[in-house]
Amino acid sequence: PHAPWFVNALDMAPSYAEAHHQLGLALAFGGPAKRALDHSSASILLSPQGTERYGGYANLATISFRVGDMEKVVEYGKKAAQVPYDDGYALLSGMCAYHVAGETDIASKVAARFRRAFPSLTQRELFGLYDLGTEMQSSISEIYSAYGIH
């Protein structure tokens, strides 16, 4: 199930950036990677200065992680981490990106910001939000644990 209401919204308003972002998010964790990339990219293109872009970058980092493109994980995750408000998904994507890039001091700062904003959120709760698959969840869990997110 890929949020049929977002598909319907895009049928009615194909340039609705938030619907592209949400559909990209729904697909990012296990849907067709090409569709997830297309919708996430569209959300950024349609609203380059809007808040959707941070989630779009987080989606693109997640999809890149899924397909093993670590250069893109770093590129998109660092952009997601620039989010000016408390968005857990964007912050975690950024933290992982800085970790993958070997910039652990910055990853630690992003993780600290996440923990301040979401002090009681656990890995179990985070992983309950999306079906990541065992391999992806294991890899991400190691990164989260390294930065005190248990």
Short mmCIF file of all heavy atoms in Angstrom, two decimals, residues 47-109:
data_model
loop_
_atom_site.label_atom_id
_atom_site.label_comp_id
_atom_site.label_asym_id
_atom_site.label_seq_id
_atom_site.Cartn_x
_atom_site.Cartn_y
_atom_site.Cartn_z
N SER A 47 9.36 22.58 -5.30
CA SER A 47 9.38 23.49 -4.15
C SER A 47 10.82 23.64 -3.65
O SER A 47 11.14 23.23 -2.53
CB SER A 47 8.47 22.93 -3.04
OG SER A 47 8.39 23.82 -1.97
N PRO A 48 11.68 24.23 -4.49
CA PRO A 48 13.10 24.29 -4.13
C PRO A 48 13.41 25.09 -2.87
O PRO A 48 14.45 24.88 -2.25
CB PRO A 48 13.76 24.91 -5.36
CG PRO A 48 12.66 25.63 -6.07
CD PRO A 48 11.40 24.87 -5.76
N GLN A 49 12.53 25.98 -2.47
CA GLN A 49 12.73 26.75 -1.24
C GLN A 49 11.77 26.33 -0.14
O GLN A 49 11.81 26.87 0.96
CB GLN A 49 12.59 28.26 -1.52
CG GLN A 49 13.60 28.79 -2.53
CD GLN A 49 15.03 28.49 -2.12
OE1 GLN A 49 15.43 28.72 -0.99
NE2 GLN A 49 15.81 27.96 -3.04
N GLY A 50 10.89 25.38 -0.44
CA GLY A 50 9.89 24.94 0.53
C GLY A 50 10.44 23.92 1.51
O GLY A 50 11.52 23.34 1.31
N THR A 51 9.70 23.69 2.56
CA THR A 51 10.14 22.75 3.58
C THR A 51 10.16 21.32 3.07
O THR A 51 10.87 20.49 3.64
CB THR A 51 9.23 22.84 4.82
OG1 THR A 51 7.89 22.60 4.43
CG2 THR A 51 9.36 24.21 5.47
N GLU A 52 9.43 21.01 2.00
CA GLU A 52 9.40 19.66 1.45
C GLU A 52 10.78 19.19 1.03
O GLU A 52 11.07 18.01 0.99
CB GLU A 52 8.46 19.55 0.24
CG GLU A 52 7.03 19.84 0.51
CD GLU A 52 6.68 21.32 0.39
OE1 GLU A 52 7.59 22.15 0.13
OE2 GLU A 52 5.50 21.65 0.57
N ARG A 53 11.65 20.15 0.69
CA ARG A 53 12.95 19.75 0.14
C ARG A 53 13.78 18.96 1.15
O ARG A 53 14.51 18.05 0.76
CB ARG A 53 13.72 20.95 -0.39
CG ARG A 53 14.33 21.87 0.64
CD ARG A 53 15.04 23.04 -0.08
NE ARG A 53 15.71 23.94 0.80
CZ ARG A 53 15.14 24.95 1.44
NH1 ARG A 53 13.86 25.17 1.30
NH2 ARG A 53 15.86 25.74 2.21
N TYR A 54 13.68 19.25 2.43
CA TYR A 54 14.46 18.51 3.41
C TYR A 54 14.02 17.05 3.48
O TYR A 54 14.85 16.15 3.50
CB TYR A 54 14.39 19.17 4.78
CG TYR A 54 14.91 20.58 4.76
CD1 TYR A 54 14.04 21.67 4.81
CD2 TYR A 54 16.27 20.83 4.64
CE1 TYR A 54 14.51 22.96 4.76
CE2 TYR A 54 16.75 22.13 4.58
CZ TYR A 54 15.87 23.19 4.63
OH TYR A 54 16.34 24.48 4.57
N GLY A 55 12.72 16.83 3.49
CA GLY A 55 12.21 15.47 3.45
C GLY A 55 12.54 14.79 2.14
O GLY A 55 12.83 13.60 2.09
N GLY A 56 12.50 15.55 1.04
CA GLY A 56 12.87 15.02 -0.26
C GLY A 56 14.32 14.55 -0.26
O GLY A 56 14.64 13.47 -0.76
N TYR A 57 15.21 15.36 0.32
CA TYR A 57 16.61 14.96 0.41
C TYR A 57 16.78 13.72 1.30
O TYR A 57 17.57 12.83 1.00
CB TYR A 57 17.48 16.11 0.93
CG TYR A 57 17.67 17.23 -0.05
CD1 TYR A 57 17.46 18.55 0.32
CD2 TYR A 57 18.05 16.97 -1.37
CE1 TYR A 57 17.64 19.59 -0.58
CE2 TYR A 57 18.23 18.01 -2.28
CZ TYR A 57 18.02 19.32 -1.87
OH TYR A 57 18.19 20.34 -2.77
N ALA A 58 16.03 13.67 2.40
CA ALA A 58 16.09 12.50 3.27
C ALA A 58 15.61 11.25 2.52
O ALA A 58 16.21 10.18 2.63
CB ALA A 58 15.26 12.73 4.53
N ASN A 59 14.53 11.39 1.75
CA ASN A 59 14.06 10.28 0.93
C ASN A 59 15.15 9.82 -0.03
O ASN A 59 15.41 8.62 -0.18
CB ASN A 59 12.83 10.68 0.10
CG ASN A 59 11.58 10.85 0.90
OD1 ASN A 59 11.50 10.51 2.07
ND2 ASN A 59 10.56 11.40 0.27
N LEU A 60 15.76 10.77 -0.72
CA LEU A 60 16.80 10.43 -1.70
C LEU A 60 17.99 9.74 -1.02
O LEU A 60 18.58 8.81 -1.58
CB LEU A 60 17.25 11.67 -2.46
CG LEU A 60 16.20 12.26 -3.42
CD1 LEU A 60 16.67 13.61 -3.96
CD2 LEU A 60 15.88 11.30 -4.56
N ALA A 61 18.35 10.18 0.19
CA ALA A 61 19.43 9.52 0.93
C ALA A 61 19.04 8.09 1.29
O ALA A 61 19.84 7.16 1.16
CB ALA A 61 19.77 10.32 2.19
N THR A 62 17.79 7.89 1.72
CA THR A 62 17.31 6.56 2.08
C THR A 62 17.32 5.63 0.87
O THR A 62 17.77 4.49 0.95
CB THR A 62 15.88 6.65 2.67
OG1 THR A 62 15.93 7.45 3.85
CG2 THR A 62 15.33 5.28 3.01
N ILE A 63 16.81 6.11 -0.24
CA ILE A 63 16.77 5.30 -1.46
C ILE A 63 18.20 4.96 -1.90
O ILE A 63 18.49 3.81 -2.27
CB ILE A 63 16.02 6.04 -2.58
CG1 ILE A 63 14.58 6.31 -2.17
CG2 ILE A 63 16.06 5.24 -3.88
CD1 ILE A 63 13.93 7.48 -2.90
N SER A 64 19.09 5.94 -1.82
CA SER A 64 20.49 5.70 -2.21
C SER A 64 21.12 4.65 -1.31
O SER A 64 21.89 3.80 -1.77
CB SER A 64 21.27 7.01 -2.14
OG SER A 64 20.75 7.96 -3.06
N PHE A 65 20.79 4.68 -0.01
CA PHE A 65 21.29 3.67 0.93
C PHE A 65 20.77 2.30 0.53
O PHE A 65 21.53 1.33 0.51
CB PHE A 65 20.85 4.02 2.36
CG PHE A 65 21.55 3.23 3.42
CD1 PHE A 65 22.72 3.70 3.98
CD2 PHE A 65 21.02 2.04 3.87
CE1 PHE A 65 23.38 2.98 4.98
CE2 PHE A 65 21.66 1.31 4.85
CZ PHE A 65 22.84 1.77 5.41
N ARG A 66 19.50 2.24 0.18
CA ARG A 66 18.89 0.97 -0.24
C ARG A 66 19.60 0.36 -1.44
O ARG A 66 19.77 -0.85 -1.50
CB ARG A 66 17.42 1.18 -0.63
CG ARG A 66 16.44 0.82 0.41
CD ARG A 66 15.01 0.93 -0.07
NE ARG A 66 14.73 0.19 -1.28
CZ ARG A 66 13.79 0.52 -2.16
NH1 ARG A 66 13.05 1.59 -1.98
NH2 ARG A 66 13.59 -0.21 -3.22
N VAL A 67 19.98 1.19 -2.39
CA VAL A 67 20.60 0.67 -3.62
C VAL A 67 22.13 0.65 -3.54
O VAL A 67 22.79 0.31 -4.51
CB VAL A 67 20.11 1.42 -4.89
CG1 VAL A 67 18.60 1.30 -5.02
CG2 VAL A 67 20.54 2.87 -4.89
N GLY A 68 22.69 1.06 -2.39
CA GLY A 68 24.13 0.96 -2.17
C GLY A 68 24.97 2.07 -2.77
O GLY A 68 26.18 1.92 -2.95
N ASP A 69 24.36 3.22 -3.05
CA ASP A 69 25.10 4.35 -3.61
C ASP A 69 25.49 5.30 -2.48
O ASP A 69 24.80 6.29 -2.21
CB ASP A 69 24.26 5.07 -4.67
CG ASP A 69 25.02 6.14 -5.43
OD1 ASP A 69 26.09 6.58 -4.94
OD2 ASP A 69 24.53 6.55 -6.50
N MET A 70 26.61 5.02 -1.83
CA MET A 70 27.01 5.78 -0.66
C MET A 70 27.39 7.23 -0.98
O MET A 70 27.23 8.11 -0.14
CB MET A 70 28.16 5.08 0.07
CG MET A 70 27.76 3.74 0.67
SD MET A 70 26.38 3.90 1.83
CE MET A 70 25.32 2.59 1.31
N GLU A 71 27.88 7.49 -2.18
CA GLU A 71 28.17 8.89 -2.55
C GLU A 71 26.90 9.73 -2.51
O GLU A 71 26.91 10.86 -2.04
CB GLU A 71 28.81 8.96 -3.93
CG GLU A 71 30.26 8.53 -3.96
CD GLU A 71 30.89 8.68 -5.34
OE1 GLU A 71 30.42 9.52 -6.14
OE2 GLU A 71 31.86 7.95 -5.60
N LYS A 72 25.81 9.17 -3.02
CA LYS A 72 24.53 9.89 -3.02
C LYS A 72 23.96 9.97 -1.61
O LYS A 72 23.31 10.95 -1.26
CB LYS A 72 23.53 9.24 -3.98
CG LYS A 72 23.91 9.37 -5.43
CD LYS A 72 23.84 10.80 -5.89
CE LYS A 72 24.12 10.92 -7.36
NZ LYS A 72 24.20 12.30 -7.82
N VAL A 73 24.18 8.94 -0.79
CA VAL A 73 23.75 9.00 0.61
C VAL A 73 24.36 10.23 1.26
O VAL A 73 23.67 11.02 1.93
CB VAL A 73 24.16 7.73 1.39
CG1 VAL A 73 23.96 7.91 2.89
CG2 VAL A 73 23.39 6.51 0.90
N VAL A 74 25.65 10.41 1.05
CA VAL A 74 26.36 11.54 1.65
C VAL A 74 25.83 12.86 1.08
O VAL A 74 25.52 13.79 1.83
CB VAL A 74 27.89 11.41 1.44
CG1 VAL A 74 28.62 12.68 1.85
CG2 VAL A 74 28.42 10.19 2.20
N GLU A 75 25.73 12.94 -0.24
CA GLU A 75 25.27 14.19 -0.88
C GLU A 75 23.89 14.60 -0.38
O GLU A 75 23.69 15.74 0.06
CB GLU A 75 25.23 14.00 -2.39
CG GLU A 75 24.66 15.18 -3.15
CD GLU A 75 24.48 14.93 -4.64
OE1 GLU A 75 25.00 13.93 -5.17
OE2 GLU A 75 23.78 15.75 -5.27
N TYR A 76 22.94 13.69 -0.44
CA TYR A 76 21.56 14.04 -0.08
C TYR A 76 21.36 14.13 1.43
O TYR A 76 20.62 14.99 1.91
CB TYR A 76 20.58 13.03 -0.67
CG TYR A 76 20.55 13.03 -2.17
CD1 TYR A 76 20.64 11.85 -2.89
CD2 TYR A 76 20.42 14.22 -2.89
CE1 TYR A 76 20.60 11.85 -4.28
CE2 TYR A 76 20.38 14.22 -4.28
CZ TYR A 76 20.47 13.03 -4.96
OH TYR A 76 20.43 13.02 -6.33
N GLY A 77 22.01 13.25 2.19
CA GLY A 77 21.86 13.28 3.64
C GLY A 77 22.38 14.57 4.25
O GLY A 77 21.79 15.11 5.17
N LYS A 78 23.51 15.07 3.73
CA LYS A 78 24.04 16.34 4.24
C LYS A 78 23.07 17.49 3.96
O LYS A 78 22.92 18.39 4.79
CB LYS A 78 25.40 16.64 3.62
CG LYS A 78 26.53 15.78 4.18
CD LYS A 78 27.86 16.14 3.55
CE LYS A 78 29.00 15.42 4.17
NZ LYS A 78 30.30 15.84 3.59
N LYS A 79 22.41 17.45 2.82
CA LYS A 79 21.41 18.49 2.52
C LYS A 79 20.21 18.36 3.46
O LYS A 79 19.69 19.37 3.94
CB LYS A 79 20.97 18.40 1.06
CG LYS A 79 22.05 18.81 0.09
CD LYS A 79 21.60 18.67 -1.35
CE LYS A 79 22.71 19.08 -2.31
NZ LYS A 79 22.30 18.92 -3.72
N ALA A 80 19.80 17.14 3.74
CA ALA A 80 18.66 16.92 4.66
C ALA A 80 18.99 17.46 6.05
O ALA A 80 18.12 18.03 6.72
CB ALA A 80 18.31 15.44 4.74
N ALA A 81 20.24 17.30 6.47
CA ALA A 81 20.64 17.72 7.82
C ALA A 81 20.59 19.23 8.01
O ALA A 81 20.64 19.69 9.15
CB ALA A 81 22.05 17.22 8.12
N GLN A 82 20.46 19.98 6.95
CA GLN A 82 20.39 21.44 7.05
C GLN A 82 18.99 21.93 7.46
O GLN A 82 18.75 23.14 7.55
CB GLN A 82 20.80 22.09 5.73
CG GLN A 82 22.20 21.70 5.26
CD GLN A 82 23.26 21.93 6.32
OE1 GLN A 82 23.35 22.99 6.91
NE2 GLN A 82 24.05 20.90 6.59
N VAL A 83 18.10 21.00 7.73
CA VAL A 83 16.72 21.35 8.09
C VAL A 83 16.70 22.34 9.26
O VAL A 83 17.37 22.12 10.27
CB VAL A 83 15.90 20.06 8.39
CG1 VAL A 83 16.44 19.32 9.60
CG2 VAL A 83 14.43 20.37 8.55
N PRO A 84 15.97 23.45 9.10
CA PRO A 84 15.98 24.47 10.15
C PRO A 84 14.98 24.22 11.29
O PRO A 84 14.85 25.04 12.19
CB PRO A 84 15.61 25.75 9.38
CG PRO A 84 14.75 25.27 8.27
CD PRO A 84 15.29 23.91 7.89
N TYR A 85 14.27 23.13 11.24
CA TYR A 85 13.31 22.79 12.29
C TYR A 85 13.55 21.33 12.69
O TYR A 85 14.36 20.63 12.06
CB TYR A 85 11.86 23.01 11.81
CG TYR A 85 11.56 22.34 10.49
CD1 TYR A 85 11.09 21.04 10.44
CD2 TYR A 85 11.78 23.01 9.29
CE1 TYR A 85 10.84 20.41 9.23
CE2 TYR A 85 11.53 22.39 8.07
CZ TYR A 85 11.07 21.09 8.07
OH TYR A 85 10.83 20.46 6.86
N ASP A 86 12.87 20.86 13.71
CA ASP A 86 13.11 19.51 14.23
C ASP A 86 12.35 18.48 13.40
O ASP A 86 11.19 18.19 13.66
CB ASP A 86 12.70 19.42 15.70
CG ASP A 86 13.59 20.26 16.59
OD1 ASP A 86 14.76 20.46 16.20
OD2 ASP A 86 13.13 20.71 17.64
N ASP A 87 13.02 17.92 12.42
CA ASP A 87 12.49 16.85 11.58
C ASP A 87 13.38 15.63 11.80
O ASP A 87 14.52 15.59 11.33
CB ASP A 87 12.51 17.29 10.11
CG ASP A 87 11.96 16.24 9.16
OD1 ASP A 87 12.36 15.06 9.28
OD2 ASP A 87 11.14 16.60 8.30
N GLY A 88 12.86 14.66 12.53
CA GLY A 88 13.66 13.50 12.89
C GLY A 88 14.22 12.74 11.71
O GLY A 88 15.37 12.31 11.71
N TYR A 89 13.40 12.56 10.69
CA TYR A 89 13.82 11.82 9.49
C TYR A 89 14.98 12.53 8.80
O TYR A 89 16.00 11.91 8.46
CB TYR A 89 12.61 11.66 8.57
CG TYR A 89 12.85 10.91 7.28
CD1 TYR A 89 13.64 9.76 7.23
CD2 TYR A 89 12.24 11.34 6.12
CE1 TYR A 89 13.81 9.08 6.03
CE2 TYR A 89 12.40 10.66 4.92
CZ TYR A 89 13.20 9.53 4.89
OH TYR A 89 13.36 8.85 3.70
N ALA A 90 14.88 13.82 8.61
CA ALA A 90 15.95 14.59 7.97
C ALA A 90 17.22 14.56 8.82
O ALA A 90 18.33 14.39 8.30
CB ALA A 90 15.50 16.02 7.70
N LEU A 91 17.06 14.72 10.13
CA LEU A 91 18.23 14.71 11.01
C LEU A 91 18.92 13.35 11.02
O LEU A 91 20.16 13.27 10.95
CB LEU A 91 17.83 15.13 12.43
CG LEU A 91 17.41 16.58 12.59
CD1 LEU A 91 16.85 16.83 13.99
CD2 LEU A 91 18.58 17.52 12.30
N LEU A 92 18.15 12.28 11.11
CA LEU A 92 18.75 10.94 11.12
C LEU A 92 19.43 10.63 9.78
O LEU A 92 20.50 10.01 9.75
CB LEU A 92 17.71 9.88 11.46
CG LEU A 92 17.21 9.90 12.89
CD1 LEU A 92 16.05 8.93 13.08
CD2 LEU A 92 18.34 9.59 13.87
N SER A 93 18.82 11.07 8.69
CA SER A 93 19.44 10.88 7.37
C SER A 93 20.77 11.62 7.31
O SER A 93 21.77 11.10 6.80
CB SER A 93 18.51 11.38 6.25
OG SER A 93 17.35 10.61 6.20
N GLY A 94 20.77 12.83 7.84
CA GLY A 94 22.00 13.61 7.87
C GLY A 94 23.06 12.98 8.75
O GLY A 94 24.24 12.92 8.38
N MET A 95 22.65 12.51 9.91
CA MET A 95 23.60 11.87 10.81
C MET A 95 24.26 10.67 10.13
O MET A 95 25.48 10.51 10.17
CB MET A 95 22.90 11.41 12.09
CG MET A 95 23.81 10.73 13.10
SD MET A 95 22.90 9.92 14.43
CE MET A 95 22.17 8.54 13.55
N CYS A 96 23.46 9.85 9.48
CA CYS A 96 23.99 8.68 8.77
C CYS A 96 24.92 9.11 7.64
O CYS A 96 25.97 8.50 7.42
CB CYS A 96 22.86 7.82 8.23
SG CYS A 96 21.94 6.94 9.51
N ALA A 97 24.56 10.17 6.94
CA ALA A 97 25.39 10.66 5.83
C ALA A 97 26.76 11.11 6.33
O ALA A 97 27.79 10.75 5.75
CB ALA A 97 24.69 11.81 5.11
N TYR A 98 26.78 11.89 7.39
CA TYR A 98 28.06 12.34 7.93
C TYR A 98 28.88 11.16 8.45
O TYR A 98 30.11 11.12 8.30
CB TYR A 98 27.86 13.40 9.02
CG TYR A 98 27.51 14.75 8.45
CD1 TYR A 98 26.24 15.29 8.60
CD2 TYR A 98 28.46 15.49 7.74
CE1 TYR A 98 25.92 16.54 8.06
CE2 TYR A 98 28.15 16.73 7.20
CZ TYR A 98 26.88 17.25 7.37
OH TYR A 98 26.57 18.48 6.83
N HIS A 99 28.22 10.17 9.02
CA HIS A 99 28.91 8.97 9.49
C HIS A 99 29.55 8.24 8.30
O HIS A 99 30.73 7.88 8.36
CB HIS A 99 27.94 8.05 10.23
CG HIS A 99 28.55 6.75 10.64
ND1 HIS A 99 29.31 6.62 11.78
CD2 HIS A 99 28.55 5.54 10.04
CE1 HIS A 99 29.73 5.37 11.87
NE2 HIS A 99 29.29 4.70 10.84
N VAL A 100 28.78 8.02 7.26
CA VAL A 100 29.28 7.33 6.06
C VAL A 100 30.46 8.10 5.46
O VAL A 100 31.43 7.50 4.98
CB VAL A 100 28.14 7.14 5.02
CG1 VAL A 100 28.68 6.74 3.66
CG2 VAL A 100 27.13 6.12 5.53
N ALA A 101 30.41 9.43 5.52
CA ALA A 101 31.48 10.27 4.98
C ALA A 101 32.71 10.29 5.89
O ALA A 101 33.74 10.86 5.52
CB ALA A 101 30.97 11.69 4.77
N GLY A 102 32.60 9.69 7.08
CA GLY A 102 33.72 9.69 8.01
C GLY A 102 33.83 10.97 8.82
O GLY A 102 34.83 11.19 9.51
N GLU A 103 32.80 11.80 8.75
CA GLU A 103 32.79 13.07 9.49
C GLU A 103 32.03 12.87 10.80
O GLU A 103 30.96 13.42 11.01
CB GLU A 103 32.16 14.16 8.62
CG GLU A 103 32.94 14.41 7.33
CD GLU A 103 32.28 15.42 6.42
OE1 GLU A 103 31.84 16.48 6.91
OE2 GLU A 103 32.20 15.13 5.21
N THR A 104 32.64 12.07 11.66
CA THR A 104 31.94 11.65 12.87
C THR A 104 31.70 12.79 13.86
O THR A 104 30.74 12.73 14.64
CB THR A 104 32.70 10.51 13.57
OG1 THR A 104 34.04 10.92 13.81
CG2 THR A 104 32.71 9.26 12.68
N ASP A 105 32.54 13.82 13.83
CA ASP A 105 32.30 14.96 14.72
C ASP A 105 31.00 15.67 14.35
O ASP A 105 30.21 16.05 15.23
CB ASP A 105 33.48 15.93 14.71
CG ASP A 105 33.84 16.42 13.31
OD1 ASP A 105 33.62 15.68 12.33
OD2 ASP A 105 34.36 17.55 13.20
N ILE A 106 30.75 15.83 13.07
CA ILE A 106 29.51 16.48 12.64
C ILE A 106 28.33 15.53 12.86
O ILE A 106 27.26 15.95 13.30
CB ILE A 106 29.58 16.95 11.17
CG1 ILE A 106 30.71 17.96 11.01
CG2 ILE A 106 28.25 17.56 10.73
CD1 ILE A 106 31.00 18.37 9.58
N ALA A 107 28.53 14.23 12.59
CA ALA A 107 27.47 13.25 12.85
C ALA A 107 27.06 13.29 14.32
O ALA A 107 25.87 13.23 14.64
CB ALA A 107 27.94 11.85 12.46
N SER A 108 28.03 13.45 15.22
CA SER A 108 27.73 13.53 16.65
C SER A 108 26.90 14.76 16.98
O SER A 108 25.99 14.70 17.80
CB SER A 108 29.03 13.58 17.46
OG SER A 108 29.71 12.36 17.35
N LYS A 109 27.20 15.88 16.33
CA LYS A 109 26.43 17.11 16.57
C LYS A 109 25.00 16.96 16.06
O LYS A 109 24.05 17.41 16.72
CB LYS A 109 27.11 18.29 15.89
CG LYS A 109 28.40 18.69 16.56
CD LYS A 109 29.11 19.81 15.83
CE LYS A 109 30.43 20.11 16.50
NZ LYS A 109 31.22 21.09 15.79
#
